[in-house]
């Protein structure tokens, strides 16, 4: 089994949980090696280079995937999926879902996601539109940006992640310091940002996914 990770701050709790989970060393080594942005994981899973990953919600709609009720969710605001005001439309090559969301919400500016988006927002939020905030204003629903998906071994991954959804994951200080140095975002802001993110796909989140899928067909 090859599980890959998206190396964004919003998945730090999952990375820490997986690091502590009793997996064979070979899987852990592969997990550490196979990492990248959402669009890279979409392609890797589609081409069967990996067996499981958190992938873009839009990619997870494909019937070939087995999906879990684990995702990257936010309600009302997210700070890391943005459109730059007063700019021409430009996709962010890292994310399929965010580009599609911008189109659905009729936002024609430059899309920016992930840790660089979070850093930009924290530096001057007046320059950006938070797509999660706009989605909530229009639908009253949270948004699911990514969903844990696999090609096989779904039962194994469900068992593995069952306790993750219940756990209160504490980010060690040395990891916060590492990301502060690498991403240029202070520890306090990282902690506050992670309070906006949650991972359980429940009833409202499933409604949001259906709404998103329905709107995709009409755009």
């Amino acid at each position: 089994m090859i599980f890959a990770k998206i190396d964004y701050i919003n998945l730090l709790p999952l990375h820490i949980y997986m690091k502590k989970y009793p997996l064979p060393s070979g899987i852990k080594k592969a997990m550490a090696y196979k990492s990248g942005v959402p669009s890279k994981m979409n392609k890797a899973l589609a081409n069967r280079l990996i067996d499981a990953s958190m992938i873009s919600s839009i990619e997870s709609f494909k019937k070939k995937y087995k999906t879990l009720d684990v995702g990257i969710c936010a309600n009302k605001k997210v700070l890391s999926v943005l459109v730059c005001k007063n700019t021409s439309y430009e996709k962010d090559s890292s994310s399929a879902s965010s580009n599609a969301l911008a189109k659905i919400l009729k936002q024609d500016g430059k899309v920016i996601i992930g840790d660089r988006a979070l850093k930009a927002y924290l530096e001057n939020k007046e320059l950006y539109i938070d797509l999660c905030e706009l989605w909530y204003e229009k639908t009253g629903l949270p948004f699911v940006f990514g969903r844990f998906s696999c090609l096989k071994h779904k039962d194994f991954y469900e068992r593995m992640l069952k306790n993750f959804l219940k756990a209160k994951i504490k980010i060690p200080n040395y990891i916060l310091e590492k990301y502060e140095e690498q991403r240029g975002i202070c520890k306090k802001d990282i902690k506050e940002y992670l309070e906006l993110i949650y991972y359980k796909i429940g009833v409202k989140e499933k409604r949001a996914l259906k709404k998103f899928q329905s709107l995709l067909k009409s755009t």
Side-chain angles (χ1 to χ4, degrees):
M1 287 179 288
I2 302 175
F3 167 73
K5 70 178 186 179
I6 295 172
D7 190 18
Y8 282 165
I9 288 170
N10 60 21
L11 281 171
L12 264 178
L14 177 60
H15 300 165
I16 289 165
Y17 174 83
M18 295 291 289
K19 201 170 183 179
K20 292 180 179 179
Y21 192 85
L23 287 168
S25 60
I27 294 178
K28 287 203 173 186
K29 283 179 183 176
M31 191 177 89
Y33 175 72
K34 296 277 187 180
S35 65
V37 297
S39 58
K40 181 182 175 183
M41 296 301 99
N42 292 351
K43 289 178 183 177
L45 192 60
N47 294 325
R48 299 181 179 272
L49 300 175
I50 57 176
D51 300 315
S53 181
M54 193 76 75
I55 60 173
S56 299
S57 294
I58 193 171
E59 177 72 12
S60 75
F61 293 141
K62 294 180 180 177
K63 292 182 179 179
K64 63 182 174 181
Y65 298 123
K66 304 175 190 297
T67 57
L68 279 64
D69 290 339
V70 180
I72 304 169
C73 311
N75 192 29
K76 299 184 182 179
K77 59 182 178 178
V78 73
L79 314 188
S80 60
V81 178
L82 313 171
V83 164
C84 305
K85 295 178 182 177
N86 304 315
T87 58
S88 301
Y89 177 68
E90 184 181 332
K91 291 182 179 180
D92 188 313
S93 61
S94 303
S95 172
S97 292
S98 302
N99 295 325
L101 180 60
K103 281 288 188 184
I104 285 169
L105 295 173
K106 296 180 170 53
Q107 297 302 305
D108 295 325
K110 180 180 178 181
V111 180
I112 174 172
I113 76 151
D115 297 346
R116 69 190 184 102
L118 175 60
K119 184 175 186 292
Y121 185 90
L122 292 169
E123 287 172 353
N124 191 345
K125 65 182 181 180
E126 301 303 322
L127 298 178
Y128 303 97
I129 295 165
D130 184 327
L131 290 179
C132 182
E133 188 173 3
L134 190 56
W135 168 264
Y136 180 80
E137 286 173 9
K138 292 184 178 296
T139 67
L141 293 167
F143 194 80
V144 181
F145 293 95
R147 186 157 50 158
F148 194 97
S149 305
C150 59
L151 294 164
K152 52 188 178 180
H153 306 303
K154 182 180 178 181
D155 290 347
F156 168 79
Y157 290 113
E158 282 181 329
R159 288 196 304 273
M160 182 178 73
L161 294 173
K162 182 180 177 182
N163 288 329
F164 170 66
L165 294 176
K166 302 174 185 176
K168 179 77 172 174
I169 308 293
K170 184 178 179 182
I171 314 294
N173 198 54
Y174 78 92
I175 292 180
L176 289 171
E177 288 175 352
K178 173 187 169 185
Y179 275 79
E180 180 178 53
E181 183 179 350
Q182 287 181 346
R183 312 296 157 95
I185 303 168
C186 74
K187 291 187 289 183
K188 176 178 173 292
D189 287 333
I190 290 174
K191 287 180 181 178
E192 289 179 357
Y193 168 63
L194 286 172
E195 289 177 6
L196 301 176
I197 308 297
Y198 63 99
Y199 306 96
K200 182 174 176 55
I201 297 177
V203 174
K204 281 189 176 181
E205 291 72 27
K206 288 177 182 177
R207 279 175 55 207
L209 284 166
K210 284 184 179 178
K211 181 77 172 175
F212 182 44
Q213 191 171 25
S214 173
L215 290 170
L216 282 170
K217 292 174 182 176
S218 61
T219 53

